[in-house]
Each structure stands twice: as structure tokens, then as C-alpha cells.
Coordinates of all heavy atoms in Angstrom, one line a residue:
M1 N 45.3 151.8 -76.5 CA 46.7 151.8 -76.1 C 47.5 151.4 -77.4 O 47.7 152.2 -78.3 CB 47.0 150.8 -75.0 CG 48.3 150.9 -74.4 SD 48.3 152.0 -73.0 CE 49.7 151.5 -72.2
T2 N 48.0 150.1 -77.5 CA 48.7 149.7 -78.7 C 48.1 148.4 -79.2 O 47.5 147.7 -78.4 CB 50.2 149.5 -78.4 OG1 50.3 148.5 -77.4 CG2 50.9 150.8 -78.0
T3 N 48.3 148.1 -80.4 CA 47.9 146.9 -81.0 C 49.2 146.1 -81.4 O 50.2 146.7 -81.6 CB 47.0 147.1 -82.2 OG1 47.7 147.8 -83.2 CG2 45.7 147.8 -81.9
P4 N 49.1 144.8 -81.5 CA 50.3 144.0 -81.9 C 51.0 144.5 -83.1 O 52.2 144.4 -83.2 CB 49.7 142.6 -82.1 CG 48.5 142.5 -81.2 CD 47.9 143.9 -81.3
D5 N 50.3 145.0 -84.1 CA 50.9 145.5 -85.3 C 51.4 146.9 -85.2 O 51.9 147.5 -86.2 CB 50.0 145.3 -86.5 CG 48.7 146.1 -86.3 OD1 48.4 146.6 -85.3 OD2 47.9 146.1 -87.3
N6 N 51.2 147.5 -84.0 CA 51.6 148.9 -83.9 C 52.5 149.1 -82.7 O 52.4 150.0 -81.8 CB 50.3 149.8 -83.7 CG 50.6 151.3 -83.7 OD1 51.6 151.7 -84.3 ND2 49.8 152.1 -83.1
T7 N 53.5 148.2 -82.6 CA 54.5 148.2 -81.5 C 55.9 148.2 -82.0 O 56.2 147.9 -83.1 CB 54.3 147.0 -80.5 OG1 54.5 145.8 -81.3 CG2 52.9 147.0 -79.9
T8 N 56.8 148.6 -81.1 CA 58.2 148.6 -81.4 C 58.9 147.9 -80.3 O 58.6 148.1 -79.1 CB 58.8 150.1 -81.5 OG1 58.1 150.7 -82.6 CG2 60.3 150.0 -81.8
R9 N 59.8 147.0 -80.6 CA 60.6 146.3 -79.5 C 61.8 147.2 -79.1 O 62.5 147.7 -79.9 CB 61.1 145.0 -80.1 CG 61.8 144.1 -79.0 CD 62.0 142.7 -79.5 NE 60.8 142.0 -79.7 CZ 60.1 141.4 -78.8 NH1 60.4 141.5 -77.5 NH2 59.0 140.7 -79.1
W10 N 61.9 147.3 -77.8 CA 63.0 148.0 -77.2 C 63.9 147.0 -76.5 O 63.4 146.0 -75.9 CB 62.5 149.0 -76.1 CG 61.9 150.3 -76.7 CD1 61.7 150.6 -78.0 CD2 61.5 151.4 -75.9 NE1 61.1 151.9 -78.0 CE2 61.0 152.4 -76.7 CE3 61.5 151.7 -74.5 CZ2 60.5 153.6 -76.3 CZ3 61.0 152.9 -74.1 CH2 60.5 153.8 -75.0
T11 N 65.1 147.3 -76.4 CA 66.1 146.6 -75.5 C 66.6 147.6 -74.5 O 67.2 148.6 -74.9 CB 67.2 146.0 -76.3 OG1 66.7 145.1 -77.3 CG2 68.1 145.2 -75.4
V12 N 66.3 147.4 -73.3 CA 66.7 148.4 -72.3 C 67.5 147.7 -71.2 O 67.3 146.5 -71.0 CB 65.5 149.1 -71.6 CG1 64.8 149.9 -72.7 CG2 64.6 148.1 -71.0
K13 N 68.3 148.4 -70.5 CA 69.1 147.9 -69.4 C 68.7 148.7 -68.1 O 68.7 149.9 -68.2 CB 70.6 148.0 -69.6 CG 71.1 147.0 -70.7 CD 72.6 147.1 -70.8 CE 73.1 146.2 -71.9 NZ 74.6 146.2 -72.0
V14 N 68.5 148.0 -67.1 CA 68.2 148.7 -65.8 C 69.0 148.0 -64.7 O 69.4 146.8 -64.9 CB 66.7 148.7 -65.4 CG1 65.9 149.5 -66.4 CG2 66.1 147.3 -65.3
S15 N 69.2 148.6 -63.6 CA 69.9 148.0 -62.5 C 69.1 146.8 -61.9 O 67.9 146.8 -62.1 CB 70.2 149.0 -61.4 OG 69.0 149.4 -60.7
K16 N 69.8 145.9 -61.3 CA 69.1 144.8 -60.7 C 68.1 145.3 -59.6 O 67.0 144.7 -59.5 CB 70.1 143.8 -60.0 CG 69.6 142.6 -59.6 CD 69.2 141.7 -60.8 CE 68.8 140.3 -60.3 NZ 68.2 139.5 -61.3
D17 N 68.5 146.3 -58.9 CA 67.6 146.9 -57.9 C 66.3 147.4 -58.5 O 65.2 147.2 -58.0 CB 68.3 148.0 -57.1 CG 69.4 147.5 -56.1 OD1 69.4 146.2 -55.9 OD2 70.2 148.3 -55.7
T18 N 66.4 148.1 -59.6 CA 65.2 148.6 -60.3 C 64.4 147.5 -60.8 O 63.2 147.5 -60.7 CB 65.6 149.6 -61.4 OG1 66.4 150.7 -60.9 CG2 64.4 150.1 -62.2
D19 N 65.0 146.5 -61.4 CA 64.3 145.3 -61.9 C 63.5 144.7 -60.8 O 62.3 144.4 -60.9 CB 65.2 144.3 -62.5 CG 64.5 143.1 -63.1 OD1 63.6 143.3 -63.9 OD2 64.9 142.0 -62.6
I20 N 64.1 144.4 -59.7 CA 63.4 143.8 -58.5 C 62.3 144.7 -58.0 O 61.2 144.2 -57.7 CB 64.4 143.5 -57.4 CG1 65.4 142.4 -57.9 CG2 63.7 143.1 -56.1 CD1 66.6 142.1 -57.0
A21 N 62.5 146.0 -57.9 CA 61.5 146.9 -57.4 C 60.3 146.9 -58.3 O 59.1 146.9 -57.8 CB 62.1 148.3 -57.2
V22 N 60.5 147.0 -59.6 CA 59.4 147.1 -60.5 C 58.6 145.8 -60.6 O 57.4 145.7 -60.5 CB 59.9 147.5 -61.9 CG1 58.7 147.3 -63.0 CG2 60.3 148.9 -62.0
R23 N 59.3 144.7 -60.6 CA 58.7 143.4 -60.7 C 57.9 143.1 -59.4 O 56.8 142.5 -59.4 CB 59.7 142.3 -61.0 CG 60.1 142.4 -62.5 CD 61.1 141.3 -62.8 NE 61.7 141.5 -64.1 CZ 61.2 141.2 -65.3 NH1 60.0 140.6 -65.3 NH2 61.8 141.4 -66.4
S24 N 58.5 143.5 -58.3 CA 57.8 143.3 -57.0 C 56.5 144.2 -57.0 O 55.5 143.7 -56.5 CB 58.7 143.8 -55.8 OG 59.8 142.9 -55.8
L25 N 56.6 145.4 -57.4 CA 55.4 146.3 -57.5 C 54.3 145.7 -58.4 O 53.2 145.6 -58.0 CB 55.8 147.7 -58.0 CG 54.7 148.7 -58.2 CD1 54.2 149.1 -56.9 CD2 55.1 149.8 -59.1
L26 N 54.7 145.2 -59.5 CA 53.7 144.5 -60.4 C 53.1 143.3 -59.8 O 51.9 143.1 -59.8 CB 54.4 144.2 -61.8 CG 54.9 145.3 -62.6 CD1 55.6 144.8 -63.9 CD2 53.7 146.3 -63.0
A27 N 53.9 142.5 -59.1 CA 53.4 141.3 -58.5 C 52.5 141.6 -57.3 O 51.4 141.0 -57.2 CB 54.6 140.5 -58.0
Q28 N 52.8 142.7 -56.6 CA 51.9 143.1 -55.5 C 50.5 143.5 -56.0 O 49.5 143.4 -55.3 CB 52.5 144.2 -54.7 CG 53.7 143.9 -53.9 CD 54.4 145.1 -53.3 OE1 54.0 146.2 -53.5 NE2 55.5 144.8 -52.6
R29 N 50.5 144.0 -57.2 CA 49.2 144.5 -57.7 C 48.6 143.4 -58.6 O 47.6 143.7 -59.3 CB 49.5 145.7 -58.5 CG 49.7 146.9 -57.5 CD 50.2 148.1 -58.2 NE 50.3 149.2 -57.3 CZ 51.1 149.3 -56.2 NH1 51.9 148.3 -55.9 NH2 51.1 150.4 -55.5
G30 N 49.1 142.2 -58.6 CA 48.5 141.1 -59.3 C 48.8 141.1 -60.8 O 48.1 140.4 -61.5
L31 N 49.7 141.9 -61.2 CA 50.0 141.9 -62.6 C 51.0 140.8 -63.0 O 51.8 140.4 -62.2 CB 50.6 143.3 -63.0 CG 49.6 144.5 -62.6 CD1 50.3 145.8 -62.9 CD2 48.4 144.4 -63.4
K32 N 51.0 140.5 -64.3 CA 51.8 139.4 -64.8 C 53.1 140.0 -65.4 O 53.2 141.1 -65.7 CB 51.0 138.6 -65.8 CG 49.7 138.1 -65.3 CD 49.9 137.0 -64.3 CE 48.5 136.4 -63.9 NZ 48.3 136.3 -62.6
K33 N 54.0 139.0 -65.8 CA 55.3 139.4 -66.4 C 55.0 140.2 -67.7 O 55.7 141.2 -67.9 CB 56.0 138.1 -66.8 CG 57.4 138.4 -67.4 CD 58.1 137.1 -67.6 CE 59.5 137.4 -68.3 NZ 60.2 136.1 -68.6
G34 N 54.0 139.9 -68.5 CA 53.7 140.6 -69.7 C 53.3 142.0 -69.5 O 53.3 142.9 -70.4
D35 N 52.9 142.3 -68.3 CA 52.4 143.7 -68.0 C 53.6 144.7 -67.8 O 53.3 145.9 -67.7 CB 51.5 143.7 -66.7 CG 50.2 143.0 -66.9 OD1 49.7 143.1 -68.1 OD2 49.7 142.3 -66.0
L36 N 54.8 144.2 -67.8 CA 55.9 145.1 -67.7 C 56.0 146.1 -68.8 O 56.3 147.2 -68.6 CB 57.2 144.2 -67.6 CG 58.5 145.0 -67.5 CD1 58.5 145.9 -66.2 CD2 59.7 144.1 -67.5
S37 N 55.7 145.6 -70.0 CA 55.7 146.5 -71.2 C 54.7 147.6 -71.0 O 54.9 148.8 -71.3 CB 55.4 145.7 -72.5 OG 56.5 144.8 -72.7
K38 N 53.5 147.3 -70.5 CA 52.4 148.3 -70.3 C 52.9 149.3 -69.3 O 52.6 150.5 -69.4 CB 51.1 147.6 -69.9 CG 50.5 146.7 -71.0 CD 49.3 146.0 -70.4 CE 48.8 145.0 -71.4 NZ 47.7 144.2 -70.9
F39 N 53.5 148.7 -68.2 CA 54.0 149.6 -67.1 C 55.0 150.6 -67.7 O 55.0 151.8 -67.4 CB 54.6 148.8 -66.0 CG 55.2 149.6 -64.9 CD1 54.4 150.1 -63.9 CD2 56.6 149.9 -64.9 CE1 55.0 150.8 -62.8 CE2 57.1 150.6 -63.9 CZ 56.3 151.1 -62.8
I40 N 56.0 150.1 -68.5 CA 57.0 151.0 -69.0 C 56.4 152.0 -69.9 O 56.8 153.2 -69.9 CB 58.1 150.1 -69.7 CG1 58.9 149.3 -68.7 CG2 59.0 151.0 -70.5 CD1 59.8 148.3 -69.3
E41 N 55.5 151.6 -70.8 CA 54.9 152.5 -71.7 C 54.2 153.6 -71.0 O 54.3 154.8 -71.3 CB 53.9 151.9 -72.7 CG 53.4 152.8 -73.7 CD 52.7 152.2 -74.9 OE1 52.7 150.9 -75.0 OE2 52.3 152.9 -75.8
E42 N 53.4 153.3 -70.0 CA 52.7 154.3 -69.2 C 53.7 155.2 -68.5 O 53.5 156.4 -68.4 CB 51.8 153.6 -68.2 CG 50.9 154.6 -67.4 CD 49.9 154.0 -66.5 OE1 49.5 152.8 -66.8 OE2 49.6 154.6 -65.5
A43 N 54.7 154.7 -67.9 CA 55.7 155.5 -67.2 C 56.4 156.5 -68.2 O 56.6 157.6 -67.8 CB 56.8 154.6 -66.5
V44 N 56.7 156.0 -69.4 CA 57.4 156.9 -70.3 C 56.4 158.0 -70.8 O 56.8 159.1 -70.9 CB 57.9 156.0 -71.6 CG1 58.3 157.0 -72.7 CG2 59.0 155.1 -71.1
R45 N 55.1 157.6 -71.0 CA 54.2 158.6 -71.4 C 54.0 159.7 -70.3 O 53.9 160.9 -70.7 CB 52.8 158.0 -71.7 CG 52.7 157.2 -72.9 CD 51.3 156.5 -73.1 NE 51.2 155.7 -74.3 CZ 50.8 156.2 -75.4 NH1 50.4 157.4 -75.5 NH2 50.7 155.4 -76.5
W46 N 54.0 159.3 -69.1 CA 53.9 160.3 -68.0 C 55.1 161.1 -67.9 O 55.0 162.3 -67.7 CB 53.7 159.6 -66.6 CG 52.2 159.4 -66.3 CD1 51.5 158.2 -66.4 CD2 51.3 160.4 -66.0 NE1 50.2 158.4 -66.1 CE2 50.0 159.7 -65.9 CE3 51.3 161.7 -65.9 CZ2 48.9 160.4 -65.5 CZ3 50.2 162.4 -65.5 CH2 49.0 161.8 -65.4
W47 N 56.3 160.5 -68.1 CA 57.5 161.3 -68.1 C 57.5 162.4 -69.2 O 57.9 163.5 -69.0 CB 58.7 160.4 -68.2 CG 60.0 161.1 -68.0 CD1 60.6 161.4 -66.8 CD2 60.9 161.7 -68.9 NE1 61.8 162.1 -66.9 CE2 62.0 162.3 -68.3 CE3 60.8 161.8 -70.3 CZ2 63.0 163.0 -68.9 CZ3 61.8 162.5 -71.0 CH2 62.9 163.1 -70.3
V48 N 57.2 161.9 -70.4 CA 57.1 162.9 -71.6 C 56.1 164.0 -71.3 O 56.4 165.2 -71.5 CB 56.8 162.1 -72.9 CG1 56.4 163.1 -74.0 CG2 57.9 161.2 -73.3
F49 N 54.9 163.6 -70.7 CA 53.9 164.6 -70.4 C 54.5 165.6 -69.4 O 54.3 166.8 -69.6 CB 52.7 163.9 -69.9 CG 51.6 164.9 -69.4 CD1 50.8 165.6 -70.3 CD2 51.4 165.1 -68.0 CE1 49.9 166.5 -69.8 CE2 50.4 165.9 -67.6 CZ 49.7 166.7 -68.5
E50 N 55.1 165.1 -68.3 CA 55.6 166.0 -67.3 C 56.7 166.9 -67.9 O 56.7 168.1 -67.5 CB 56.2 165.2 -66.1 CG 55.1 164.5 -65.3 CD 54.3 165.5 -64.5 OE1 54.8 166.6 -64.1 OE2 53.1 165.2 -64.3
Q51 N 57.6 166.4 -68.7 CA 58.6 167.2 -69.3 C 58.0 168.3 -70.2 O 58.4 169.5 -70.2 CB 59.6 166.4 -70.1 CG 60.4 165.5 -69.3 CD 61.3 166.2 -68.3 OE1 62.0 167.1 -68.7 NE2 61.1 165.8 -67.0
T52 N 57.0 167.9 -71.0 CA 56.3 168.9 -71.9 C 55.6 170.0 -71.0 O 55.7 171.2 -71.3 CB 55.3 168.2 -72.8 OG1 56.0 167.2 -73.5 CG2 54.6 169.1 -73.7
L53 N 55.0 169.6 -70.0 CA 54.3 170.5 -69.1 C 55.3 171.5 -68.4 O 55.1 172.7 -68.4 CB 53.5 169.7 -68.0 CG 52.6 170.5 -67.1 CD1 51.5 171.3 -67.9 CD2 51.9 169.6 -66.1
S54 N 56.4 170.9 -68.0 CA 57.4 171.8 -67.4 C 58.0 172.8 -68.4 O 58.2 174.0 -68.0 CB 58.5 170.9 -66.8 OG 59.6 171.6 -66.3
E55 N 58.3 172.3 -69.6 CA 58.8 173.2 -70.6 C 57.8 174.3 -71.0 O 58.1 175.5 -71.2 CB 59.2 172.4 -71.9 CG 60.4 171.6 -71.6 CD 60.6 170.6 -72.8 OE1 59.9 170.6 -73.8 OE2 61.5 169.7 -72.6
T56 N 56.5 173.9 -71.1 CA 55.4 174.9 -71.4 C 55.3 175.9 -70.3 O 55.2 177.1 -70.6 CB 54.1 174.1 -71.6 OG1 54.3 173.2 -72.7 CG2 53.0 175.1 -72.0
R57 N 55.3 175.4 -69.1 CA 55.2 176.4 -67.9 C 56.4 177.4 -68.0 O 56.2 178.6 -67.7 CB 55.2 175.6 -66.6 CG 53.9 175.0 -66.3 CD 53.9 174.3 -65.0 NE 52.6 173.8 -64.6 CZ 52.4 172.7 -64.0 NH1 53.4 172.0 -63.5 NH2 51.2 172.3 -63.7
A58 N 57.6 176.9 -68.3 CA 58.7 177.8 -68.3 C 58.6 178.8 -69.5 O 58.9 180.0 -69.3 CB 60.0 177.0 -68.5
A59 N 58.1 178.3 -70.6 CA 58.0 179.2 -71.8 C 56.9 180.3 -71.6 O 57.1 181.4 -72.1 CB 57.6 178.4 -73.0
F60 N 55.9 180.0 -70.8 CA 54.8 181.0 -70.6 C 54.9 181.6 -69.2 O 54.0 182.3 -68.8 CB 53.5 180.4 -70.8 CG 53.2 180.1 -72.3 CD1 53.4 178.8 -72.7 CD2 52.9 181.1 -73.1 CE1 53.2 178.5 -74.1 CE2 52.6 180.8 -74.5 CZ 52.8 179.5 -75.0
G61 N 55.9 181.3 -68.4 CA 56.1 181.8 -67.0 C 56.0 183.3 -66.8 O 55.6 183.8 -65.8
D62 N 56.5 184.0 -67.8 CA 56.6 185.5 -67.7 C 55.3 186.2 -68.2 O 55.2 187.4 -68.2 CB 57.8 186.0 -68.4 CG 57.8 185.7 -69.9 OD1 57.1 184.8 -70.3 OD2 58.6 186.4 -70.6
L63 N 54.4 185.4 -68.7 CA 53.1 185.9 -69.3 C 52.1 186.2 -68.2 O 52.0 185.4 -67.3 CB 52.6 184.9 -70.3 CG 51.5 185.4 -71.3 CD1 52.1 186.6 -72.2 CD2 51.1 184.3 -72.2
D64 N 51.4 187.3 -68.3 CA 50.4 187.7 -67.4 C 49.3 186.6 -67.4 O 48.9 186.1 -68.5 CB 49.8 189.0 -67.8 CG 48.6 189.5 -67.0 OD1 48.8 189.6 -65.7 OD2 47.5 189.6 -67.5
P65 N 48.8 186.2 -66.2 CA 47.8 185.1 -66.2 C 46.6 185.4 -67.0 O 46.1 184.5 -67.7 CB 47.5 185.0 -64.7 CG 48.7 185.5 -64.0 CD 49.2 186.6 -64.9
E66 N 46.1 186.6 -67.1 CA 45.0 186.9 -67.9 C 45.3 186.8 -69.4 O 44.5 186.3 -70.2 CB 44.5 188.3 -67.6 CG 43.8 188.4 -66.2 CD 43.3 189.8 -66.0 OE1 43.1 190.6 -66.9 OE2 43.0 190.1 -64.8
A67 N 46.5 187.2 -69.8 CA 46.9 187.1 -71.2 C 47.0 185.6 -71.6 O 46.6 185.2 -72.7 CB 48.2 187.8 -71.4
L68 N 47.6 184.8 -70.7 CA 47.7 183.4 -70.9 C 46.3 182.7 -71.0 O 46.1 181.9 -71.9 CB 48.5 182.7 -69.8 CG 48.6 181.2 -69.9 CD1 49.4 180.8 -71.2 CD2 49.4 180.7 -68.7
Q69 N 45.4 183.1 -70.2 CA 44.0 182.6 -70.3 C 43.4 183.0 -71.6 O 42.7 182.2 -72.2 CB 43.2 183.0 -69.1 CG 41.8 182.4 -69.0 CD 41.9 180.9 -68.9 OE1 42.6 180.4 -68.0 NE2 41.3 180.1 -69.8
D70 N 43.6 184.2 -72.0 CA 43.1 184.6 -73.3 C 43.6 183.8 -74.5 O 42.9 183.4 -75.4 CB 43.4 186.1 -73.6 CG 42.6 187.1 -72.7 OD1 41.6 186.6 -72.1 OD2 43.1 188.2 -72.6
L71 N 44.9 183.5 -74.4 CA 45.5 182.6 -75.4 C 44.9 181.2 -75.4 O 44.6 180.6 -76.5 CB 47.0 182.5 -75.2 CG 47.9 183.6 -75.7 CD1 49.4 183.4 -75.2 CD2 47.9 183.8 -77.2
I72 N 44.7 180.7 -74.2 CA 44.1 179.4 -74.1 C 42.7 179.4 -74.6 O 42.3 178.5 -75.4 CB 44.1 178.9 -72.6 CG1 45.6 178.6 -72.2 CG2 43.3 177.7 -72.4 CD1 45.7 178.5 -70.7
D73 N 41.9 180.4 -74.3 CA 40.5 180.5 -74.7 C 40.5 180.6 -76.2 O 39.6 180.0 -76.9 CB 39.8 181.7 -74.1 CG 39.6 181.5 -72.6 OD1 39.7 180.4 -72.1 OD2 39.4 182.6 -71.9
E74 N 41.4 181.4 -76.8 CA 41.4 181.6 -78.3 C 41.7 180.3 -79.0 O 41.1 179.9 -80.0 CB 42.5 182.6 -78.6 CG 42.6 183.0 -80.1 CD 43.7 184.0 -80.3 OE1 43.8 185.0 -79.5 OE2 44.4 183.9 -81.3
A75 N 42.7 179.5 -78.5 CA 43.1 178.3 -79.1 C 42.0 177.2 -78.9 O 41.7 176.5 -79.9 CB 44.4 177.8 -78.4
T76 N 41.4 177.2 -77.8 CA 40.3 176.3 -77.5 C 39.1 176.6 -78.5 O 38.6 175.6 -79.1 CB 39.8 176.4 -76.1 OG1 40.9 176.1 -75.2 CG2 38.6 175.4 -75.8
E77 N 38.8 177.8 -78.6 CA 37.7 178.2 -79.5 C 38.0 177.8 -81.0 O 37.2 177.3 -81.7 CB 37.3 179.7 -79.4 CG 36.1 180.1 -80.1 CD 34.8 179.3 -79.7 OE1 34.8 179.0 -78.5 OE2 33.9 179.1 -80.5
A78 N 39.3 178.0 -81.4 CA 39.7 177.7 -82.8 C 39.5 176.2 -83.0 O 39.0 175.8 -84.1 CB 41.1 178.1 -83.0
V79 N 40.0 175.4 -82.1 CA 39.9 173.9 -82.2 C 38.4 173.5 -82.2 O 38.0 172.7 -83.1 CB 40.6 173.2 -81.1 CG1 40.3 171.7 -81.1 CG2 42.1 173.4 -81.2
R80 N 37.6 174.1 -81.4 CA 36.2 173.7 -81.4 C 35.5 174.1 -82.7 O 34.7 173.3 -83.2 CB 35.5 174.5 -80.2 CG 35.8 173.9 -78.9 CD 35.0 174.6 -77.8 NE 35.3 174.0 -76.5 CZ 35.2 174.6 -75.3 NH1 34.9 175.9 -75.3 NH2 35.5 174.0 -74.2
N81 N 35.9 175.2 -83.2 CA 35.3 175.6 -84.5 C 35.7 174.7 -85.6 O 34.9 174.3 -86.5 CB 35.7 177.1 -84.9 CG 35.0 178.1 -84.1 OD1 33.9 177.8 -83.6 ND2 35.6 179.3 -83.9
E82 N 37.0 174.3 -85.6 CA 37.4 173.3 -86.6 C 36.7 172.0 -86.5 O 36.3 171.4 -87.5 CB 38.9 173.0 -86.4 CG 39.8 174.2 -86.9 CD 41.3 173.9 -86.6 OE1 41.7 172.7 -86.3 OE2 42.1 174.9 -86.6
R83 N 36.5 171.5 -85.3 CA 35.8 170.2 -85.0 C 34.3 170.4 -85.5 O 33.8 169.4 -86.1 CB 35.8 169.8 -83.6 CG 37.2 169.6 -83.1 CD 37.9 168.4 -83.7 NE 37.3 167.2 -83.2 CZ 37.4 166.0 -83.8 NH1 38.1 165.9 -84.9 NH2 36.9 165.0 -83.3
R84 N 33.7 171.5 -85.2 CA 32.3 171.7 -85.6 C 32.2 171.7 -87.1 O 31.2 171.1 -87.6 CB 31.8 173.0 -85.0 CG 31.5 173.0 -83.6 CD 30.8 174.3 -83.1 NE 30.9 174.4 -81.7 CZ 31.6 175.4 -81.0 NH1 32.2 176.3 -81.6 NH2 31.6 175.4 -79.7
Q85 N 33.1 172.3 -87.8 CA 33.1 172.4 -89.2 C 33.3 171.0 -89.8 O 32.6 170.6 -90.8 CB 34.2 173.3 -89.8 CG 33.8 174.8 -89.6 CD 34.9 175.7 -90.0 OE1 36.0 175.2 -90.5 NE2 34.7 177.0 -89.9
A86 N 34.2 170.2 -89.2 CA 34.5 168.8 -89.7 C 33.2 168.0 -89.5 O 32.9 167.1 -90.3 CB 35.7 168.3 -88.9
L87 N 32.5 168.1 -88.4 CA 31.3 167.3 -88.1 C 30.2 167.8 -89.0 O 29.3 166.9 -89.4 CB 31.0 167.4 -86.6 CG 31.9 166.8 -85.7 CD1 31.5 167.1 -84.2 CD2 32.0 165.3 -85.9
A88 N 30.1 169.0 -89.3 CA 29.0 169.6 -90.1 C 29.2 169.2 -91.6 O 28.2 169.1 -92.3 CB 28.9 171.1 -90.0
S89 N 30.4 168.9 -92.1 CA 30.6 168.6 -93.5 C 31.3 167.3 -93.5 O 32.5 167.2 -93.6 CB 31.3 169.7 -94.2 OG 32.5 170.0 -93.5
P90 N 30.6 166.1 -93.5 CA 31.2 164.8 -93.5 C 32.0 164.6 -94.8 O 31.7 165.3 -95.8 CB 30.1 163.8 -93.4 CG 28.8 164.6 -93.7 CD 29.1 166.1 -93.5
P91 N 33.0 163.8 -94.8 CA 33.8 163.6 -96.0 C 33.0 163.0 -97.1 O 32.0 162.2 -96.9 CB 34.9 162.6 -95.6 CG 34.4 162.0 -94.3 CD 33.4 163.0 -93.7
K92 N 33.3 163.4 -98.3 CA 32.6 162.8 -99.5 C 33.0 161.4 -99.8 O 34.2 161.1 -99.6 CB 32.9 163.7 -100.7 CG 32.4 165.1 -100.5 CD 32.7 166.0 -101.7 CE 32.3 167.5 -101.4 NZ 32.9 168.4 -102.3
P93 N 32.1 160.6 -100.2 CA 32.5 159.2 -100.5 C 33.4 159.1 -101.7 O 33.3 159.9 -102.6 CB 31.2 158.5 -100.8 CG 30.1 159.5 -100.7 CD 30.7 160.8 -100.3
E94 N 34.3 158.2 -101.6 CA 35.3 158.0 -102.7 C 34.6 157.4 -103.9 O 33.7 156.5 -103.8 CB 36.5 157.2 -102.3 CG 37.3 157.8 -101.2 CD 38.5 157.0 -100.8 OE1 38.9 156.2 -101.7 OE2 39.0 157.2 -99.7
A95 N 35.0 157.8 -105.1 CA 34.3 157.3 -106.3 C 35.0 156.0 -106.8 O 36.0 155.6 -106.5 CB 34.4 158.3 -107.4

């Protein structure tokens, strides 16, 4: 997730109702006050993922399913080949 030296402090405002709802949810699940940051980060990550997924679906919505699968297969194979090459030739030690 994150480490103490890899974080950014946010200042956010939410309605009192939202604050109570989130803190109640965390308390019901046995989470502590400090877990609010983890909850917010996870929620934001999910929101960004959902937005990206929605935009991607819209961008490829008019593409034939078989053509889309071919693009996915091609991209997957390219990444696999890159990873295999990287694993086969480890980095040279620095002098």
C-alpha cells in the first residue's frame, strides 16, 4: 500500500452525515480512527478504476468482440515477451 515516506496529506471536507456514516461503518467493522485514511485511499482507487474501466468500455464499445479479443491477446503476448526477456537477461552489475 503506502509507506510513511510515500504519502501525501490531504485536507478534505465532507458533510456531517457522510462523516458519521463512514466512521460508523469503520467502527462496526472494528477499525480504528487511523483506518480512515486507508478507507479513503481504497475508495479513491476503486473510483479511479471504475472511471477508467467505463472510459475504456466506451472507447472500444463499437469494436467487434473478436477484434477486441485479438487486441487484448496481442497486447498480453507483447507484455509477456517483454517480461520473459527481462527475466532472461538480468541487469548488469554496476561498476
Side-chain angles (χ1 to χ4, degrees):
M1 191 92 161
T2 60
T3 59
D5 59 353
N6 191 23
T7 60
T8 300
R9 183 170 296 279
W10 284 4
T11 302
V12 297
K13 291 183 180 182
V14 296
S15 70
K16 189 69 172 170
D17 290 342
T18 299
D19 180 58
I20 292 169
V22 170
R23 290 180 189 278
S24 296
L25 178 71
L26 294 177
Q28 288 171 1
R29 287 169 174 65
L31 301 173
K32 307 289 186 231
K33 182 178 179 181
D35 292 324
L36 179 60
S37 293
K38 293 175 189 172
F39 177 84
I40 291 170
E41 184 165 359
E42 186 175 330
V44 169
R45 285 178 183 267
W46 270 108
W47 188 87
V48 169
F49 174 75
E50 288 293 328
Q51 292 300 307
T52 303
L53 188 59
S54 179
E55 291 168 5
T56 303
R57 284 182 175 146
F60 291 99
D62 61 342
L63 197 60
D64 176 58
E66 288 181 19
L68 179 58
Q69 188 61 54
D70 289 344
L71 282 174
I72 292 168
D73 292 344
E74 182 180 319
T76 302
E77 189 60 31
V79 170
R80 285 180 179 156
N81 287 336
E82 288 175 15
R83 298 296 287 163
R84 285 184 196 117
Q85 288 176 358
L87 291 172
S89 54
K92 297 176 184 168
E94 294 182 25

